[in-house]
């Protein structure tokens, strides 16, 4: 009989607050902060400091977890959030419900940037494949791909109410794209190195770019207005004069000037605050520079003061009366044209310094009355900090840190009843509930390399890098005592089978045996645990790992010289040596029955040994990098190994076969711990996550798993297939090019197969129907029984069902793979489907795509012409019907809006426009007052000067 095994599957991951690959962003309410947590997006309640929910991809696909590389939220009041991933996919989430609405596939490289337009109807994505894709969020479909950059796209910004798009790239250029014509209208150089970030202020006056250069570059934005003229919102001069409106009519951006930065590190992120009064420049270091953005009236006043000061200095130096008079004339001329420069608008307010490297920043959309803005920072040590920005200083208001370690998780240990989990890191010990992933205790400690729970789970021991043993009281969450155990780092700590003590191994060449004791502090009633060293086994090299057989008969010690020495436990006499590994053994375990020893080494191999004679049963090339931990499942010969190749592997040590490969970690896996019953295991990693893997009731067979692994290897090679590998690379013109938004995936190929299959089944069914009718005419026909596969549907409805199942975004690529014969069959069904008003859009899309693809063949095929003529008339009529219905509904909505507006004091749809009008009128009044005051002062001064000259 073929043996079956029970499958292990990923259950939960915890311990990650903010990973370093992606940006953080506030939601529109300002209550929640969205932070990347490897493959998930954590939604953190800022005030309470708790994770309200996780946006987690569905576990339907058992493939590797793909890290989040960018996050974007809709600027308007909406709960939609987009996350870009390392495989180029984009997921649209409903943040309130925590569900994934759709997945968009278009990029071949990791998604580097996502930006919504103001209304949230369009999403622009940039990637490491150098392309930009525009997505219709409502229709869940890719509109087009913009190609032109020679290196990865680093940032994007919408201009002119979403009509234009600015893209920045590592190729040192900015490109301005007109989204209506789908063309690149302007290419801007200037930076001497890669452009890393750009942003546009909320008033769409300025665009700022940052690179590894020492300066920030600012551009003024030219806007198109309804009559075809252009207008700039910057107001560079007091009078209209000749400003940025002159020049090429296609130019949307004109250089305004530069500002030198304080830091020498490259710019990582540039972001304007929601109100537009602040600009934050985050560099690839520990600092964030905050600039104050002055409004139009203030900047003009500042420019005037600067010009006046300059002229006063000049005039004070002039002694001769005639020269003084000439200076007055110059002053009169220059006040008419005062140029506003970059320092008049942008002023360095302060520099915010964090304790660790800053990964990302985000301004809160809600500003408190006591501060200018609220800024959130994600640091590279798994931490979120919230700062309140004032005019003089910035104060840290809150920190989210308790739910995760600041660095690698070096050891994980489960209590004897598997209800508690202890993890150690470079400066703290955390105790978790492994079933929920909640952090119960955080205790400061040394650099913990190994740990264990004392029987009874009231105390725990930590072996540190400095050679200490730290005794932790689990209930109170305090460090009770620190014992100087070794002169060098404690590498391994393991129970003795009798439960009366434990053994430690250290790089000071000693293996020490310890016993538990109780002690009472002077003047206190409480009794606490301590330990005493009872025996020491000196070795001739650094001890890396120690293992004790469950029967207490042998102790195995792995040394730095790549050997494992086995001793008798009672007498400490030498028994045998296990030779064979080419690099040091990093991990080791002995099975529950004491028959097998498994060793994992830095040479990437697992070796299974018999403990009775020390013979090597099997050497397995197990991982693509060093094997860091290995553990037997209790009372079995099954074992788990983890390595620096990020994988967890499940083995049968009797058959020497790989059973399962568990993918999930995003960096080296350091440690593993298996529950007493073997129903789950826990792993800790360099990515700071702790993951739990549960045993399910689903059985699997070894041969099936081998076949599945081969299929996955074949599918992974799909993108690098022969037809694509040797194609000449298409050269992109300098002005850019437009291409299809989607990409070929396994889903699109499966969808094509299902449509072809449906067409074949329908053709067969139509043939059977025709034969049955012929027999009925002859009087021999029995009752017709339809094909059970068609589920009682007609052939046309069955094909429509297959086509409707295809995801909107994959439709184009699915039809692209259809042969011409099947495409012709599909076109013949469009007439029937067009009578269904709900499917008119789908029918039009199919007709358009197939006509574009097979245009030449369709024209050349005589039989297809009547069909095309028929479709032309029918589809035109159907589209007109839909258009009329939509027009009628929109007119009704407008009428309702007018009725509601007439009942209120101010029409609500005009409220924002009116507010902006009032503000602009006020700023003009202030400006006029300032002008008249300066004019009066000038005339007064002139009179005084005139009197002086005549006297």
């Amino acid at each position: 009989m073929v043996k079956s095994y029970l499958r292990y599957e990923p259950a939960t991951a915890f311990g990650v607050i903010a990973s370093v690959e992606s940006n953080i962003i506030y939601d529109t309410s300002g209550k929640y902060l969205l932070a990347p947590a490897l493959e998930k997006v954590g939604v953190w309640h800022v005030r309470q400091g708790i994770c309200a929910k996780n946006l987690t991809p569905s576990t339907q696909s058992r493939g590797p977890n793909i890290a989040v590389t960018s996050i974007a939220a809709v600027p308007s009041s909406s709960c939609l959030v987009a996350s870009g991933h390392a495989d180029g996919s984009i997921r649209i989430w409903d943040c309130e419900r925590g569900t994934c609405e759709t997945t968009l596939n278009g990029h071949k490289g990791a998604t580097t940037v996502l930006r919504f337009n103001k209304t949230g109807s369009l999403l622009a994505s940039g990637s490491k494949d150098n392309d930009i894709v525009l997505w219709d969020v409502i229709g869940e479909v890719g509109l087009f791909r913009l190609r032109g950059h020679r290196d990865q796209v680093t940032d994007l910004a919408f201009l002119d109410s979403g009509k234009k798009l600015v893209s920045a790239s590592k190729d040192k250029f900015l490109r301005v794209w007109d989204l209506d014509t789908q063309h690149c209208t302007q290419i801007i150089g200037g930076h001497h190195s890669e452009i890393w970030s750009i942003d546009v202020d909320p008033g769409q006056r300025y665009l700022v770019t940052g690179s590894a250069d020492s300066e920030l570059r600012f551009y003024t934005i030219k806007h198109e207005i309804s009559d075809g003229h252009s207008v700039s919102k910057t107001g560079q001069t007091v009078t209209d004069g000749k400003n940025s409106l002159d020049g090429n009519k296609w130019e949307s951006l004109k250089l305004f000037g530069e500002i030198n930065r304080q830091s020498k590190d490259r710019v990582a992120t540039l972001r304007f605050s929601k109100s537009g009064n602040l600009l934050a420049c985050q560099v690839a270091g520990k600092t964030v520079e905050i600039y104050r953005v002055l409004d139009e009236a203030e900047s003009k006043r500042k420019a005037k003061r600067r010009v006046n000061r300059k002229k006063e200095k000049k005039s004070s130096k002039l002694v001769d009366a005639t020269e003084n008079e000439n200076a007055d004339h110059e002053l009169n001329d220059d006040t008419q044209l005062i140029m506003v420069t970059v320092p008049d608008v942008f002023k360095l307010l302060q520099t915010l310094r964090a304790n660790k490297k800053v990964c990302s920043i985000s301004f809160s959309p809600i500003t408190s009355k006591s501060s200018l803005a609220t800024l959130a920072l994600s640091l590279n040590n798994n931490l979120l900090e919230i700062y309140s920005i004032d005019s003089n200083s910035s104060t840290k208001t809150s920190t989210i840190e308790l739910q995760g370690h600041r660095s690698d998780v070096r050891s994980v240990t489960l209590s004897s009843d598997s209800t508690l989990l202890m993890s150690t890191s470079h400066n703290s010990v955390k105790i978790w509930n492994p079933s929920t992933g909640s952090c119960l205790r955080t205790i400061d400690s040394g650099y913990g390399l190994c740990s264990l729970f004392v029987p009874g789970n009231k105390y725990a021991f930590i072996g540190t890098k400095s050679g200490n043993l730290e005794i932790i009281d689990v209930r109170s969450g305090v460090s009770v005592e620190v014992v100087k155990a070794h002169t060098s780092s404690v590498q391994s700590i393991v129970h003795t089978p009798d439960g009366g003590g434990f053994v430690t191994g250290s790089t000071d060449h000693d293996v020490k045996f310890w016993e538990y004791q109780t002690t009472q502090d002077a003047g206190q009633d409480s009794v606490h645990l301590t330990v005493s060293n009872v025996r020491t086994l000196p070795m001739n090299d650094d001890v890396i790992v120690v293992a004790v057989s469950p029967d207490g008969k042998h102790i195995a010690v792995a040394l730095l010289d790549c050997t494992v020495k086995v001793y008798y436990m009672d007498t400490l006499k030498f028994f045998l040596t296990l030779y064979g590994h080419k690099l040091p053994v990093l991990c080791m375990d002995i099975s529950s029955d004491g028959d097998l020893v498994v060793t994992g080494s830095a040479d990437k191999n697992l070796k299974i040994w018999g403990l009775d004679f020390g013979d090597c049963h099997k050497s397995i090339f197990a991982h693509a990098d060093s094997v860091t931990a290995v553990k037997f499942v209790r009372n079995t010969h099954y074992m788990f190994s983890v390595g620096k190749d990020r994988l967890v592997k499940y083995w049968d040590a009797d058959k020497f076969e790989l059973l399962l490969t568990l993918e999930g970690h995003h960096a080296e896996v350091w440690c593993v711990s298996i529950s007493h019953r073997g129903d789950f295991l826990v792993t800790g990693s360099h990515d700071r996550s702790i993951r739990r893997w549960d045993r399910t009731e689903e059985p699997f067979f070894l041969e099936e798993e081998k076949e599945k692994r081969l299929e996955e290897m074949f599918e992974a090679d799909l993108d690098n297939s022969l037809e694509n590998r040797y194609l000449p690379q298409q050269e992109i013109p300098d002005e850019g090019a437009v291409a299809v938004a989607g990409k070929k995936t396994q889903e699109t190929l499966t969808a094509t197969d299902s449509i072809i299959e449906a067409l074949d089944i329908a053709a067969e069914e139509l043939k059977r129907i025709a034969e049955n009718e012929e027999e009925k005419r002859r009087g021999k026909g029995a009752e017709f029984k339809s094909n059970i596969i068609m589920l009682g549907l007609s052939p046309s409805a069955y094909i429509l069902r297959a086509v409707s199942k295809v995801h909107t975004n994959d439709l184009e690529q699915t039809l692209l793979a259809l042969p011409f014969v099947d495409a012709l069959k599909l076109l013949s069904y469009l007439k029937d489907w067009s009578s269904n008003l709900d499917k008119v859009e789908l029918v039009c899309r199919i007709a358009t795509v197939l006509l574009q693809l097979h245009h030449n063949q369709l024209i050349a095929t005589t039989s297809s012409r009547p069909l095309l003529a028929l479709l032309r008339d029918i589809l035109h009529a159907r589209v007109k019907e839909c258009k009329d219905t939509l027009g009628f509904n929109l007119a009704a909505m407008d009428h309702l809006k007018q009725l509601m507006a007439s009942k209120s004091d101010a029409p609500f749809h005009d409220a924002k426009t009116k507010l902006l009008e009032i503000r602009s009128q006020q700023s003009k009044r202030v400006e006029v007052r300032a002008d008249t005051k300066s004019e009066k002062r000038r005339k007064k001064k002139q009179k005084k000067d005139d009197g002086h000259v005549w006297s």
Side-chain angles (χ1 to χ4, degrees):
M1 185 178 168
V2 180
K3 187 174 182 180
S4 68
Y5 303 86
L6 290 178
R7 190 179 295 282
Y8 282 83
E9 287 191 343
T12 183
F14 48 93
V16 181
I17 297 168
S19 51
V20 297
E21 291 91 359
S22 174
N23 61 304
I24 57 168
I25 195 162
Y26 271 96
D27 75 332
T28 46
S29 68
K31 283 184 185 177
Y32 297 99
L33 187 62
L34 303 163
L38 302 175
E39 75 277 3
K40 300 187 291 188
V41 177
V43 183
W44 293 89
H45 194 291
V46 177
R47 192 169 290 174
Q48 296 173 359
I50 58 167
C51 190
K53 60 169 78 76
N54 280 308
L55 307 180
T56 313
S58 63
T59 53
Q60 290 170 356
S61 58
R62 290 200 181 121
N65 290 333
I66 307 299
V68 175
T69 52
S70 56
I71 307 171
V74 175
S76 57
S77 54
S78 170
C79 53
L80 284 185
V81 170
S83 64
H85 297 258
D87 62 347
S89 64
I90 298 161
R91 289 187 173 93
I92 309 288
W93 303 87
D94 186 322
C95 208
E96 281 181 5
R97 291 186 292 176
T99 55
C100 180
E101 296 293 303
T102 184
T103 303
L104 306 170
N105 285 303
H107 290 292
K108 292 176 182 173
T111 311
T112 51
V113 57
L114 293 171
R115 281 284 182 111
F116 281 100
N117 68 344
K118 213 166 189 178
T119 56
S121 59
L122 283 180
L123 172 68
S125 63
S127 165
K128 283 187 177 176
D129 62 8
N130 311 350
D131 292 350
I132 302 153
V133 178
L134 256 289
W135 306 91
D136 178 357
V137 178
I138 298 155
E140 298 177 2
V141 64
L143 299 175
F144 48 86
R145 182 190 302 272
L146 299 170
R147 305 177 68 207
H149 284 294
R150 296 292 193 274
D151 207 334
Q152 79 173 53
V153 179
T154 53
D155 212 346
L156 298 165
F158 279 99
L159 297 181
D160 239 359
S161 309
K163 290 178 186 174
K164 290 188 174 69
L165 181 74
V166 183
S167 60
S169 168
K170 284 173 76 174
D171 64 6
K172 308 177 192 175
F173 289 104
L174 283 178
R175 283 176 176 265
V176 184
W177 306 86
D178 189 311
L179 300 184
D180 292 333
T181 60
Q182 300 172 18
H183 277 79
C184 178
T185 58
Q186 192 179 0
I187 302 171
I188 303 165
H191 281 292
H192 304 298
S193 57
E194 299 99 335
I195 302 173
W196 286 99
S197 186
I198 63 171
D199 201 25
V200 177
D201 70 321
Q204 298 254 322
R205 295 190 299 157
Y206 304 105
L207 179 133
V208 56
T209 65
S211 72
D213 304 344
S214 59
E215 72 263 343
L216 297 175
R217 292 173 77 87
F218 293 87
Y219 297 88
T220 54
I221 301 167
K222 191 171 72 174
H223 295 268
E224 294 290 330
I225 54 175
S226 55
D227 60 354
H229 293 295
S230 304
V231 66
S232 172
K233 286 190 181 179
T234 56
Q236 290 182 38
T237 57
V238 174
T239 59
D240 240 3
K242 289 190 176 182
N243 57 8
S244 61
L245 303 188
D246 297 332
N248 188 346
K249 67 171 184 175
W250 296 111
E251 286 185 3
S252 301
L253 301 177
K254 186 175 180 183
L255 183 64
F256 184 35
E258 297 95 9
I259 285 184
N260 282 324
R261 298 189 288 114
Q262 305 290 310
S263 172
K264 290 180 181 177
D265 296 314
R266 74 164 177 85
V267 172
T269 316
L270 288 166
R271 287 295 175 264
F272 282 96
S273 62
K274 181 80 175 175
S275 58
N277 63 334
L278 294 179
L279 169 66
C281 171
Q282 175 233 326
V283 300
K286 297 181 182 179
T287 60
V288 180
E289 293 170 15
I290 312 285
Y291 293 87
R292 183 75 186 267
V293 185
L294 304 180
D295 63 22
E296 205 172 315
E298 284 178 325
S299 55
K300 283 179 182 177
R301 282 202 296 274
K302 194 175 175 187
K304 276 185 185 179
R305 284 199 299 272
R306 174 174 53 78
V307 170
N308 287 336
R309 278 199 302 271
K310 195 175 176 183
K311 293 303 173 188
E312 278 170 16
K313 280 182 184 176
K314 198 181 279 185
S315 60
S316 64
K317 289 175 184 177
L318 298 173
V319 182
D320 191 32
T322 53
E323 288 179 350
N324 202 350
E325 194 177 346
N326 291 338
D328 283 334
H329 284 301
E330 280 178 28
L331 191 68
N332 288 336
D333 294 338
D334 285 343
T335 48
Q336 298 304 313
L337 280 171
I338 296 173
M339 294 296 293
V340 176
T341 59
V342 173
D344 296 330
V345 185
F346 297 91
K347 174 191 169 188
L348 182 65
L349 191 68
Q350 56 182 281
T351 302
L352 190 154
R353 285 180 173 81
N355 296 325
K356 290 283 178 181
K357 190 178 175 184
V358 182
C359 292
S360 174
I361 59 169
S362 179
F363 274 109
S364 170
I366 308 300
T367 309
S368 63
K369 291 177 183 176
S370 58
S371 65
L372 292 172
T374 304
L375 185 68
L377 273 63
S378 74
L379 307 184
N380 75 339
N381 64 343
N382 196 24
L383 193 71
L384 290 172
E385 291 183 343
I386 317 296
Y387 285 84
S388 178
I389 310 293
D390 300 318
S391 53
N392 300 321
S393 63
S394 52
T395 52
K396 192 193 294 183
T397 54
S398 61
T399 308
I400 299 170
E401 61 178 341
L402 292 176
Q403 290 86 347
H405 282 291
R406 304 281 74 77
S407 69
D408 302 25
V409 179
R410 289 312 300 258
S411 76
V412 288
T413 313
L414 285 161
S415 59
S416 55
D417 56 359
S418 302
T419 56
L420 293 175
L421 168 71
M422 180 166 60
S423 62
T424 66
S425 183
H426 78 298
N427 65 353
S428 66
V429 175
K430 286 182 183 286
I431 296 171
W432 309 81
N433 179 343
S435 58
T436 62
S438 56
C439 183
L440 308 174
R441 295 274 187 278
T442 299
I443 306 132
D444 291 336
S445 73
Y447 198 135
L449 296 175
C450 50
S451 56
L452 65 78
F453 276 99
V454 174
N457 305 325
K458 292 179 181 177
Y459 291 92
F461 284 88
I462 312 295
T464 68
K465 204 171 185 176
S466 57
N468 295 334
L469 276 176
E470 296 192 12
I471 305 170
I472 305 287
D473 187 329
V474 174
R475 292 167 298 180
S476 61
V478 293
S479 180
V480 178
E481 190 182 351
V482 177
V483 179
K484 185 64 184 173
H486 291 272
T487 56
S488 189
S489 61
V490 181
Q491 291 287 336
S492 185
I493 183 167
V494 61
H495 282 289
T496 51
D498 59 3
F502 59 91
V503 184
T504 58
S506 166
T507 50
D508 65 0
H509 301 194
D510 284 346
V511 175
K512 291 189 177 182
F513 295 77
W514 306 81
E515 281 187 355
Y516 302 124
Q517 292 179 346
T518 53
T519 183
Q520 187 171 355
D521 294 333
Q524 290 186 0
D525 297 334
S526 61
V527 175
H528 71 81
L529 189 76
T530 187
V531 289
S532 63
N533 182 17
V534 290
R535 285 192 295 176
T536 302
L537 174 63
M539 307 301 293
N540 58 4
D541 210 337
D542 292 9
V543 177
I544 298 175
V545 61
V546 177
V548 176
S549 63
D551 57 5
K553 193 176 177 184
H554 299 108
I555 178 169
V557 183
L559 302 175
L560 193 64
D561 62 4
C562 311
T563 63
V564 178
K565 297 194 183 298
V566 185
Y567 295 85
Y568 290 104
M569 187 83 168
D570 48 359
T571 61
L572 297 186
K573 284 188 176 177
F574 176 74
F575 173 44
L576 50 85
T577 303
L578 308 178
Y579 294 102
H581 281 293
K582 292 171 185 170
L583 289 171
V585 173
L586 303 178
C587 52
M588 176 169 53
D589 198 26
I590 300 173
S591 62
S592 302
D593 55 10
D595 289 349
L596 298 177
V597 181
V598 62
T599 56
S601 163
D603 63 10
K604 309 172 189 176
N605 287 305
L606 282 175
K607 287 185 187 288
I608 299 164
W609 315 79
L611 196 55
D612 42 6
F613 301 112
D615 56 323
C616 180
H617 290 183
K618 187 73 173 177
S619 180
I620 305 167
F621 182 72
H623 289 266
D625 209 331
S626 303
V627 184
T628 51
V630 64
K631 279 277 189 295
F632 275 104
V633 179
R634 187 179 160 83
N635 298 329
T636 70
H637 280 182
Y638 305 144
M639 61 186 187
F640 283 92
S641 68
V642 300
K644 286 187 178 179
D645 61 355
R646 311 177 180 189
L647 301 177
V648 180
K649 294 193 175 184
Y650 184 31
W651 306 86
D652 186 336
D654 291 330
K655 292 187 174 182
F656 319 122
E657 289 279 9
L658 171 64
L659 304 178
L660 282 177
T661 300
L662 304 174
E663 296 178 89
H665 281 291
H666 295 256
E668 298 95 327
V669 189
W670 291 122
C671 47
V672 63
S673 183
I674 303 175
S675 68
H676 195 68
R677 290 164 50 204
D679 55 342
F680 72 92
L681 67 143
V682 178
T683 53
S685 165
H686 175 69
D687 63 16
R688 294 158 192 160
S689 72
I690 299 168
R691 290 177 187 268
R692 194 181 89 235
W693 316 79
D694 286 358
R695 187 173 66 201
T696 62
E697 295 304 313
E698 181 193 345
F700 69 92
F701 301 96
L702 203 56
E703 292 303 317
E704 285 181 5
E705 282 302 308
K706 282 182 181 176
E707 280 179 26
K708 202 178 283 182
R709 281 197 289 274
L710 284 169
E711 277 176 22
E712 283 170 7
M713 285 169 66
F714 174 72
E715 284 172 16
D717 201 45
L718 180 73
D719 292 335
N720 302 322
S721 57
L722 289 170
E723 59 201 14
N724 294 331
R725 200 179 295 167
Y726 301 111
L727 278 176
Q729 289 296 312
Q730 185 185 352
E731 187 63 32
I732 302 162
D734 286 336
E735 65 274 8
V738 184
V740 177
K743 71 168 183 178
K744 183 167 75 172
T745 60
Q746 193 59 37
E747 287 79 18
T748 62
L749 293 180
T750 310
T752 306
D753 289 342
S754 67
I755 290 172
I756 293 170
E757 189 183 350
L759 286 166
D760 292 342
I761 291 168
E764 192 66 38
E765 188 73 355
L766 285 169
K767 192 178 174 184
R768 282 182 60 229
I769 290 167
E771 285 172 359
N772 183 261
E773 283 175 357
E774 184 66 33
E775 284 176 2
K776 273 184 180 177
R777 275 203 299 273
R778 291 174 187 170
K780 299 176 185 177
E783 189 185 346
F784 179 75
K785 289 183 180 177
S786 63
N787 190 343
I788 196 166
I789 296 170
M790 295 183 68
L791 307 169
L793 297 170
S794 67
S796 178
Y798 182 66
I799 298 167
L800 180 60
R801 181 173 170 271
V803 173
S804 300
K805 274 185 179 177
V806 180
H807 190 276
T808 325
N809 187 47
D810 295 337
L811 186 64
E812 204 158 325
Q813 289 293 328
T814 303
L815 295 174
L816 202 65
L818 271 182
F820 176 67
V821 178
D822 293 307
L824 207 56
K825 286 181 192 172
L826 196 62
L827 276 171
S828 65
Y829 286 100
L830 296 185
K831 177 184 170 251
D832 297 340
W833 300 346
S834 62
S835 57
N836 185 347
L837 281 174
D838 292 344
K839 300 293 179 184
V840 170
E841 191 182 346
L842 176 69
V843 168
C844 289
R845 275 194 73 197
I846 293 170
T848 311
V849 172
L850 290 179
L851 280 168
Q852 284 174 341
L853 288 176
H854 304 291
H855 181 258
N856 292 336
Q857 278 179 291
L858 284 168
I859 289 170
T861 311
T862 319
S863 58
S864 68
R865 286 175 193 168
L867 175 65
L868 293 175
L870 184 68
L871 281 176
R872 182 189 62 194
D873 299 334
I874 289 171
L875 291 182
H876 271 295
R878 291 285 178 267
V879 169
K880 192 174 184 305
E881 278 176 39
C882 289
K883 199 175 173 184
D884 291 344
T885 309
L886 287 169
F888 180 79
N889 292 343
L890 286 169
M893 291 296 288
D894 280 338
H895 181 62
L896 286 172
K897 195 189 273 189
Q898 284 167 12
L899 284 174
M900 288 173 74
S902 64
K903 286 175 185 176
S904 65
D905 294 335
F908 66 92
H909 61 286
D910 288 338
K912 192 176 178 183
T913 321
K914 285 196 172 177
L915 183 67
L916 291 170
E917 277 176 21
I918 292 161
R919 280 182 180 168
S920 65
Q921 283 168 7
Q922 281 179 340
S923 63
K924 279 176 185 174
R925 282 192 208 115
V926 171
E927 206 177 301
V928 168
R929 278 182 208 145
D931 286 349
T932 51
K933 279 180 184 176
S934 62
E935 189 69 27
K936 280 176 184 175
R937 275 200 297 269
R938 193 179 59 77
K939 283 178 179 176
K940 207 173 183 182
K941 192 178 177 186
Q942 196 174 355
K943 275 182 184 178
K944 281 181 182 177
D945 290 346
D946 290 350
H948 172 71
V949 170
W950 283 108
S951 63

